[in-house]
Amino acid sequence: MQVIPVDIVDEMKSSYIDYAMSVIVGRAIPDVRDGLKPVQRRILYAMHEMGLLSNRPHRKSARVVGEVLGKYHPHGDTAVYDALVRMAQDFTLRYPLVDGQGNFGSIDGDSPAAMRYTEVRLSKIAEEMLADIEKETVDFAPNFDESLEEPTVLPARIPNLLINGSSGIAVGMATSIPPHNLGEVVDALIHLLKGGDTSVDALMRIIKGPDFPTAGIIVGKEGIRQAYTSGRGKVTIRGRVKVEDNRIVITEIPYQVNKAKLVEQIAGLVKEKKLEGIKAVRDESDRDGVRVVIELKDANPDVLIKRLYKFSSLETSFGIINLVLVDGKPRILTLEGLLRTFIDHRRDVVVRRTEYELKKAEERFHIVDGLKIALKNIDEVIRIIKGSENTDIARKSLMTRFDLSEEQANAILAMRLQRLTALETEKLEEEYRTLESKISYCRELLSDEKKIDGVIIQELEELKEKYADSRKTEIMERVEEITEEDYIPDDRVVVLFTSKGFVKRILVDEFRVQRKGGKGVIGVGEGDTAELSVYAKNRDILLMFSAKGRAYWIHAYQIERGDRYSRGSSVNSLISLGDEDRIVAVIPLRSFRGDAVIATRKGYIKRVSLKRFVNAKRGGITAVSLDSGDEVSSVCTAHGELMVVTKHGRALRFSQKDVRTMGRTARGVRGIRLRQGDEVVSILPLRYNDVLILSDRGYGKRVRKGEFTVHRRGGMGVICLPEVAGSVAGVFDVEGDEEVIAFTRSGMAIRFRVKEIPRKGRTARGVIVTRDGIRMASVLRSEKKFK
């Protein structure tokens, strides 16, 4: 035995390349012409040979699998059956090629029944894939054991590759072609055949984009354009949802998403608290379509839908790779390339079919011409035949006497006596004229490429008439921008700053409503006290002002969510607050529109546009210049009239027009003239009819706005709280339908309704709200009056 030395590296390279090409060509990548992989082509051809047409009875799938295995595809039966099943699933193929009867799996990922239980036949549209295959329209090659021949490609009257798509993973490469709408693809092919504009924009006006069997919504067109231009791209697919009463109903899911796993995933997200406000999730789908119902508690459906798109498979990406076999070699094609290769294939099929029909017509014409000669000389023909000793002599005699070919002589000898009737003679003449016309037509067709294209156009129009349907997948022209805020439930919260420099965000519902005078509930963790609270919503911008005149802003949802007992997070972890500085005022905003009014402890005020604080953020910027020993005490938004209130119970009402708009670095102007030892504690807009005043000794009262006469800024003001009631702890403009959360000196929080606090005069003490005394408070506005 001769030993041939081989370099192992070279041998591995060679063997691996052979293996890779075998997988690419023989298994995973579809042919650009018929859009089929070998196993799919063999299944369809075997069913065609078995006579399993759309108008014939179904036959057991096991018979088809056995036929394919035994004659054309010597691999595992599971691989063949899986391919057969996929061609029958209406949620996998846009236009199924196999008409199945029985359990062929489901969109929930259920397995199909065994092949011995299911039955199949070709679908009507699949017959178009095999039309004219008997007319030498495609090449055939020997099967695996060279006992039979199989087609190397199908005639494919329909553009199967584009309308049904394809996916497959080979060695080092993959294909992923989405399905499209038949009507649109046909229109695009006709457009090209008629010499129309071939630009991507022109083609996209006809083919809008992929059209998935499970419908859904494609978000944006850029990924489609990229795929059609370069052969690669990515599209985002969303399921379709609608809101019914207090429920979100999913009626369509993205392509290739397992519905059962989607429902399971949503339930898992609820358990992980990534989706809040969901009471129950159930699948109500039936034979009429998908219906997944999500029962809501008190969640905002719009926010929850966006969170479903963000966290679940209700929104997925489909990567497009138009990798196909062109002349047996893998290539990535553009949309125009895919369309043109199909057109080239159809031209080849039509030409070969016409040549076949011409050949058959000429052969028959030759025979009929001989029969006509025989009928014209029938008496002599009979005499020659009767006078011949055998068939061979008769054949030769006829050929010599009438100048016939052997085929013509044989046809005459095989002719029945019934052909001698007048009716049969007329039929022969009619056939002669028909064949003459057919031959002329075929020759004319083969000599003119435009007429070939005309035939293709006519066939495409017939296909559209028979099989086209409306689009299933909607394409959104513009992608709506989804920000982080869209995934945040816009809950009502109280943002609480403590004396130890911590801040936390607490849901309003954690503070139960009590009557005035109640004990309250724990509002701050042990060992800490409340310094400042503000009512806001999760998506609000919190514009914060420090005692030293700096401004910062963050979103409310950026603050750690806690409960009444938690410590919260350090303010310094959110903003760069200077040494020995603290937050003393917060304005909740939705946008930086309007003006802010800043008041200092020494009685200065200034008005500044909120737009000047857009860039404040974490680092902060100067909001006001302060005199030595002065601090910011209160900030509000400008709104008509303003009121400045001091610690010792003086209040001055004036028009905001008395305060001109200034720059950030200005000190401001005199707002109120203070008495010895007094300081400003609050500035507020007077939007409503009443002013609520709370004292540090726990008293509260409502005073009609009209009791405070309008003065010019800079005055001393009038009494709003007598000395016996203590110092002012909080003052708010109210209308009566609000609630208040007040924090006591011992760290308790009491929530009560404003309407429980009676109206009193400016000089009245008020009523006891809490005997524990009040450090500070915030008002919970109704939804319509929140801003």
Side-chain angles (χ1 to χ4, degrees), residues 551-570:
Y552 312 81
W553 71 262
I554 58 173
H555 285 98
Y557 62 76
Q558 292 177 271
I559 296 172
E560 179 183 328
R561 179 175 160 183
D563 54 30
R564 292 183 289 106
Y565 307 96
S566 63
R567 183 178 68 171
S569 57
S570 170

Side-chain angles (χ1 to χ4, degrees), residues 95 181-184 186 462-470:
Y95 302 90
N181 182 269
L182 174 62
E184 292 179 359
V186 165
E462 290 171 359
L463 286 174
K464 182 179 177 182
E465 180 69 26
K466 288 167 68 175
Y467 305 110
D469 55 5
S470 56

Side-chain angles (χ1 to χ4, degrees), residues 2-16:
Q2 184 181 7
V3 177
I4 302 174
V6 176
D7 187 295
I8 190 168
V9 174
D10 293 338
E11 181 61 26
M12 288 292 289
K13 280 182 181 179
S14 175
S15 298
Y16 191 76

